[in-house]
């Protein structure tokens, strides 16, 4: 049992209303469960396979979900990077290991399942890339059309390839992500398409399971939970999930929610630094981490609550720090991620260097998308392969063993 509730004024809506913002005050909506009537125990959950659907009592879908077997991603101990930073308890949750290569699949299995449950025939989103790749795949699985709007020239190659191959209608908008999101929102309201950006409260329900899995995999709660922040949906979702576990009496504390943004695109960091009541949108965000190239994060209101109420923080890292950490993760830990994903670990390095971290903390960084998403940025950073004639002498002359 659940309903939708406005996070600002508390006005409630029936669960089957197609609505993306409060009609009373225009603020964000969230799914609110009747937790007193939820009958489940941690032991029961832990007997099920590790996946989004392990936690189905805290998800809004009632029938069989549209699933590609999302979730159940690895939690790695970052041994070498942790040693370098003096952090013995540093972990990375590799969300690039989801079916379409990013954490978005957790939201889309729930969001597309809800689209069908609500009788919607066409799904849509704006995206910096990963949301569109994921939506395209889940719409294909569901057998319904998807429309995706991308900021022209600013989406990594692998993501565009995925959206195209899974059969979405892919539209390049001459404008940035923030404008594309406004456009698709308008389109969905005027033409009845189902909007699956993170203003959709159901999608965020799937994403909160990252936090649940971390709790199950570690066997305890981390002290700090670190995410790259773009539209600020993911950090809000994980916080909401942990609050539910608290209310159910399953956990006693919520980790310090820590958001990392790229220096050229960091409105949430500014709001935290200057203690602003809301973010001031940035009109021309820019970063090599195109996934988080967002100036007006729609979930900022929820994210600021998540960060402030847990004693967390938000900091910015430069593109150079992001790319250096992408290399470190790949070469010291064997973990291949796209630039935005490396921002979480780069942010921890920065906090260590600033002396702003207790080194005994158990820290979990979410690395959000796979290395193959953005091959062009990878190739630019690496030396090209050395070409040799097809004989052993040439090979040995190059290898110099
Ligand atoms: N990391 C990656 C790889 C992403 O693709 C995104 C968001 C984020 C982090 C930030 O998550 O928006 O919940 O704060 N990508 C969206 C997209 C915007 O369209 O794919 P957030």
């Amino acid at each position: 049992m659940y309903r939708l509730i406005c996070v600002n004024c508390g006005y409630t809506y029936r669960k089957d209303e197609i609505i993306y913002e409060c009609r009373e005050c225009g603020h964000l909506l969230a799914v609110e469960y009747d937790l007193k009537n939820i009958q489940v125990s941690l032991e029961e959950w832990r007997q099920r396979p590790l996946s989004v659907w392990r936690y189905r009592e805290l998800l809004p879908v009632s029938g069989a979900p549209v699933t590609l077997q999302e979730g159940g991603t690895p939690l790695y101990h970052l041994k070498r990077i942790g040693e370098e930073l003096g952090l013995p308890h540093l972990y990375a949750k590799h969300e690039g290991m989801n079916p379409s290569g990013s954490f978005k699949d957790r939201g889309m299995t729930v969001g597309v399942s809800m689209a069908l449950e609500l009788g919607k025939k066409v799904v849509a989103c704006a995206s910096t890339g990963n949301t569109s790749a994921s939506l395209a795949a889940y719409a294909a699985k569901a057998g319904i059309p998807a429309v995706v709007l991308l900021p022209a020239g600013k989406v990594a190659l692998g993501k565009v390839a995925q959206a195209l191959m899974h059969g979405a209608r892919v539209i390049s908008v001459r404008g940035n992500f923030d404008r594309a999101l406004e456009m698709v929102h308008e389109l969905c309201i005027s033409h009845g398409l189902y909007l699956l950006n993170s203003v959709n409260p159901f999608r965020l329900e799937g994403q909160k399971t990252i936090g649940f899995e971390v709790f199950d995999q570690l066997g305890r709660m981390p002290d700090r939970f670190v995410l790259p922040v773009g539209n600020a949906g993911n950090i809000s979702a994980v916080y909401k999930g942990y609050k539910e576990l608290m209310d159910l009496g399953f956990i006693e504390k919520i980790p310090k929610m820590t958001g990392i943004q790229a220096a050229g695109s960091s409105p949430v960091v500014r709001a935290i630094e200057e203690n602003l009541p809301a973010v001031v949108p940035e009109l021309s965000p820019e970063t090599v981490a195109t996934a988080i190239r967002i100036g007006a994060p729609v979930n900022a209101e929820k994210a600021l609550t998540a960060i402030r109420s847990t004693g967390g923080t938000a900091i910015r890292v430069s593109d150079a720090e992001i790319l250096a950490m992408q290399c470190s993760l790949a070469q010291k830990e064997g973990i291949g991620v796209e630039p935005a994903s490396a921002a979480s670990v780069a942010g921890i390095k920065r906090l260590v260097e600033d002396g702003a971290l207790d080194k005994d903390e158990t820290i979990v960084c979410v690395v959000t998308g796979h290395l193959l998403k953005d091959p062009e940025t990878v190739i630019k950073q690496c030396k090209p392969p050395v070409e040799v004639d097809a004989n052993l002498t040439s090979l040995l002359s190059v290898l110099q063993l």
Side-chain angles (χ1 to χ4, degrees), residues 23-56:
R23 272 198 293 272
E24 297 297 308
C25 70
H27 284 250
L28 297 166
L29 301 173
V31 176
E32 185 183 61
Y33 299 91
D34 181 8
L35 291 177
K36 280 191 292 302
N37 286 320
I38 285 187
Q39 304 292 336
V40 77
S41 65
L42 281 178
E43 293 67 36
E44 212 174 319
W45 270 352
R46 288 176 179 172
Q47 278 160 18
R48 302 175 189 163
L50 187 70
S51 98
V52 168
W53 297 100
R54 171 184 278 196
Y55 311 100
R56 58 179 179 256

Side-chain angles (χ1 to χ4, degrees), residues 52-317:
V52 168
W53 297 100
R54 171 184 278 196
Y55 311 100
R56 58 179 179 256
E57 287 82 0
L58 287 184
L59 295 173
V61 178
S62 48
V66 179
T67 176
L68 292 167
Q69 301 187 20
E70 47 292 316
T73 55
L75 180 71
Y76 297 120
H77 182 217
L78 298 185
K79 192 164 174 298
R80 291 212 179 85
I81 294 177
E83 272 167 12
E84 280 176 16
L85 298 177
L87 300 174
H89 313 294
L90 180 63
Y91 296 84
K93 176 84 167 148
H94 193 351
E95 287 294 295
M97 303 296 275
N98 275 296
S100 83
S102 86
F103 70 94
K104 305 289 181 179
D105 296 341
R106 294 180 186 270
M108 286 307 171
T109 183
V110 173
V112 173
S113 299
M114 289 307 294
L116 296 191
E117 229 171 278
L118 295 166
K120 302 304 282 186
K121 304 278 186 278
V122 186
V123 286
C125 72
S127 180
T128 57
N130 282 320
T131 300
S132 68
S134 183
L135 181 61
Y138 282 84
K141 179 74 180 171
I144 56 173
V147 176
V148 307
L149 272 60
L150 307 178
K154 292 292 182 182
V155 176
L157 192 65
K159 305 173 190 183
V160 183
Q162 288 178 292
L164 291 169
M165 182 52 107
H166 286 300
R169 288 285 301 275
V170 180
I171 314 288
S172 260
V173 175
R174 291 186 209 100
N176 64 20
F177 166 82
D178 302 301
R179 180 62 196 130
L181 182 53
E182 284 168 5
M183 284 171 62
V184 78
H185 197 156
E186 262 177 65
L187 175 76
C188 287
I189 301 293
S190 61
H191 285 75
L193 285 71
Y194 192 56
L195 180 61
L196 274 166
N197 279 99
S198 52
V199 285
N200 182 312
F202 297 127
R203 210 195 91 188
L204 292 184
E205 291 302 290
Q207 287 175 205
K208 74 187 178 186
T209 61
I210 303 176
F212 296 170
E213 287 189 9
V214 164
F215 175 46
D216 280 347
Q217 286 169 305
L218 271 182
R220 63 182 194 282
M221 288 300 284
D223 299 304
R224 188 179 292 276
F225 202 100
V226 192
L227 302 105
V229 170
N231 228 1
N234 215 21
I235 193 168
S236 312
V238 171
Y239 168 70
K240 177 180 188 283
Y242 280 150
K243 256 184 58 192
E244 287 165 358
L245 295 195
M246 280 256 279
D247 292 344
L248 285 168
F250 292 175
I251 60 171
E252 279 163 12
K253 62 162 192 181
I254 299 183
K256 298 184 188 81
M257 300 303 295
T258 302
I260 315 297
Q261 295 201 291
S265 177
S266 50
V268 173
V269 177
R270 182 176 164 204
I272 291 292
E273 278 175 351
E274 298 178 19
N275 203 20
L276 306 176
V279 295
V280 180
E282 289 179 9
L283 297 182
S284 309
E286 203 47 83
T287 166
V288 69
T290 50
I292 51 173
R293 185 176 169 272
I294 295 176
V298 287
N299 285 292
E301 180 180 19
K302 290 179 178 177
L304 292 178
T305 306
I307 293 166
R308 287 177 175 144
S309 66
T310 58
T313 188
I315 63 157
R316 55 176 74 80
V317 287

